[in-house]
Amino acid sequence: MDAYKSSVDFAEATAFLSHACYEQDKMALRATLKNKSILSGLLSRLSSCSSHGRVCVSPVLVAQRRNNSTSPKLKVDFNQSTGVAVMHMQNPPVNSLSLGFLTEFCIAVEKLEMDKSCRGLILTSSQPKVFSAGLDIMDMYGKKLEQYEEFWRAVQEMWLKLYSSNMVTIAAINGSSPAGGCLMSLSCDYRIMADNPRYSIGFNETQFGIVVPVWCKEAMTTIVGHRNTELTLELGLLYNPSDALKIGLVDQLVPEDQVLATATKTMTKWLAIPDHARRITKSMMRKPTIDKIMSIREADMQQYISFISKDSTQKMLGTYLEMLKKKRG
Ligand SMILES: CCCCC/C=C\CCCC/C=C/C(=O)SCCNC(=O)CCNC(=O)[C@H](O)C(C)(C)COP(=O)(O)OP(=O)(O)OC[C@H]1O[C@@H](n2cnc3c(N)ncnc32)[C@H](O)[C@@H]1OP(=O)(O)O
């Protein structure tokens, strides 16, 4: 119940925030994620804001590893006439899901969700060859406990926002999409991937000693079944596009230069279905998983913090990071 309440509060806060200016949005939401206890204060400050709806929060810029700039990590192109928004992820070099990215992502989805004229969302990447490299390992490595908590809350929120969206959501996967990147696309209604054998998608976590959260396992099972999920998660498998298609991890492969166009065409088909019927059906399909996750949200947080802060986990992450860097050098 508490977990549910905290999510409702979060939704209320982000709803208020959607009227505030962009950079201030991010700071306020970051603060909300950091410490839920400031939420009531934040809400009362918001309700006493000027008619411009500006949030009066002093600037606290949290430096990210290579993303200490305030340049947007997402570009959203919303076409009023079709009701479709295309969200381009642009967090170089590999669209890793850093705290900054996740915060921006949650605000952007919330804003689109509140705009009744927006009925469809296409998620794609502006980075060459990569859809998303998954969670930013730098946010899971060598940090303080409260930073792990803040990060994980943002991860949970991203998943919930996308998985429970009323919009039609299509992942236009125009590059590799390991781990958290795969989770992001699995949260969408439909997945179209570039047919390039150099790209991969799946969950490689166990290969470097970490474990996906239970809600990721649940969501994956509903899509590819128990056996494929078991094999993928235990062995930390990444699939090339044609193998991913075989197990149903993606729905369609198209030539690389047609990913976005196909997503747009597919969206038109989905949007031809009466909204209310589609939405109720989506909710009917996904609500049991969402309810289950909400009921264990705080336990999931504690499990994450305890797992990620273990010396042995940190050691493995350190080794993996070194390996990723050596690959280039
Ligand atoms: C029982 C309790 C359970 C509790 C839960 C516990 C744990 C929770 C885990 C949650 C589940 C999700 C986990 C994740 O998502 S972890 C991230 C996993 N992702 C990966 O392993 C992908 C790693 N990256 C790659 O494979 C490649 O980078 C690539 C995406 C295929 C792109 O290749 P390429 O274009 O060749 O780029 P580079 O490899 O050269 O990378 C460029 C620079 O980017 C850095 N990098 C890459 N990935 C990440 C990342 N995920 N986070 C941070 N940084 C990343 C890489 O080091 C290079 O940096 P450099 O320029 O400084 O050398």
Side-chain angles (χ1 to χ4, degrees):
M1 190 62 190
D2 277 344
Y4 178 71
K5 177 79 170 56
S6 82
S7 155
V8 171
D9 287 347
F10 186 96
E12 279 173 17
T14 46
F16 271 104
L17 285 168
S18 68
H19 296 294
C21 78
Y22 195 65
E23 280 308 313
Q24 286 167 325
D25 276 357
K26 283 199 285 182
M27 288 183 288
L29 184 61
R30 181 79 61 77
T32 307
L33 287 166
K34 193 166 187 172
N35 185 353
K36 282 186 292 158
S37 66
I38 66 159
L39 191 67
S40 52
L42 175 63
L43 288 172
S44 65
R45 280 162 84 178
L46 284 166
S47 56
S48 62
C49 274
S50 74
S51 57
H52 298 98
R54 298 227 157 205
V55 186
C56 320
V57 182
S58 62
V60 183
L61 288 178
V62 180
Q64 293 285 301
R65 185 173 58 121
R66 74 189 85 212
N67 291 316
N68 52 1
S69 75
T70 52
S71 57
K73 296 166 179 50
L74 290 169
K75 181 164 82 72
V76 181
D77 295 328
F78 177 44
N79 183 331
Q80 286 275 1
S81 64
T82 60
V84 177
V86 180
M87 194 181 272
H88 303 264
M89 297 184 275
Q90 47 181 33
N91 190 21
V94 289
N95 284 335
S96 61
L97 309 177
S98 61
L99 178 60
F101 177 94
L102 294 167
T103 307
E104 210 171 301
F105 182 86
C106 287
I107 293 171
V109 173
E110 185 75 33
K111 280 184 178 171
L112 295 172
E113 203 75 60
M114 287 178 60
D115 182 344
K116 296 293 168 238
S117 64
C118 184
R119 299 169 59 219
L121 171 63
I122 296 173
L123 190 58
T124 195
S125 164
S126 293
Q127 301 310 124
K129 300 183 295 177
V130 182
F131 180 73
S132 165
L135 301 189
D136 195 314
I137 297 169
M138 299 305 285
D139 274 324
M140 301 194 286
Y141 182 67
K143 294 280 190 286
K144 296 192 180 110
L145 294 186
E146 54 274 25
Q147 290 173 304
Y148 291 139
E149 178 175 352
E150 186 183 11
F151 179 63
W152 198 247
R153 204 166 291 290
V155 174
Q156 290 177 329
E157 200 57 37
M158 172 208 68
W159 180 76
L160 281 165
K161 286 246 180 309
L162 202 53
Y163 194 71
S164 64
S165 172
N166 274 324
M167 296 178 282
V168 173
T169 51
I170 295 183
I173 311 167
N174 51 350
S176 288
S177 193
C182 182
L183 176 65
M184 205 177 207
S185 57
L186 282 184
S187 314
C188 293
D189 294 304
Y190 197 76
R191 286 157 286 286
I192 297 163
M193 189 170 187
D195 193 4
N196 182 337
R198 296 163 77 105
Y199 297 161
S200 60
I201 184 165
F203 289 97
N204 58 334
E205 281 83 345
T206 51
Q207 294 224 20
F208 54 93
I210 65 174
V211 180
V212 301
V214 67
W215 39 272
C216 177
K217 181 268 298 179
E218 294 279 341
M220 186 177 182
T221 306
T222 63
I223 294 169
V224 298
H226 192 278
R227 183 61 182 149
N228 285 320
T229 302
E230 187 168 55
L231 286 173
T232 307
L233 297 184
E234 282 193 35
L235 298 173
L237 298 180
L238 292 174
Y239 298 89
N240 63 37
S242 60
D243 288 341
L245 183 67
K246 271 185 208 141
I247 66 160
L249 198 56
V250 295
D251 296 300
Q252 192 177 349
L253 301 184
V254 295
E256 189 147 7
D257 59 356
Q258 287 167 35
V259 175
L260 194 52
T262 310
T264 308
K265 230 169 145 183
T266 308
M267 181 63 83
T268 309
K269 274 202 268 176
W270 279 69
L271 291 183
I273 305 294
D275 251 4
H276 71 285
R278 181 197 52 76
R279 281 183 188 192
I280 294 169
T281 308
K282 180 170 179 175
S283 166
M284 182 176 76
M285 294 301 293
R286 297 191 173 201
K287 195 171 177 296
T289 307
I290 293 167
D291 287 349
K292 205 160 154 187
I293 302 319
M294 291 308 296
S295 71
I296 57 147
R297 192 171 176 174
E298 288 310 312
D300 175 67
M301 168 66 78
Q302 293 317 319
Q303 217 174 0
Y304 172 73
I305 295 174
S306 118
F307 182 83
I308 211 72
S309 58
K310 272 195 177 79
D311 285 347
S312 54
T313 308
Q314 287 292 306
K315 206 170 155 200
M316 280 187 271
L317 281 177
T319 308
Y320 185 58
L321 269 171
E322 261 174 45
M323 194 275 286
L324 277 176
K325 291 191 185 308
K326 271 194 198 132
K327 199 185 92 182
R328 276 162 78 88

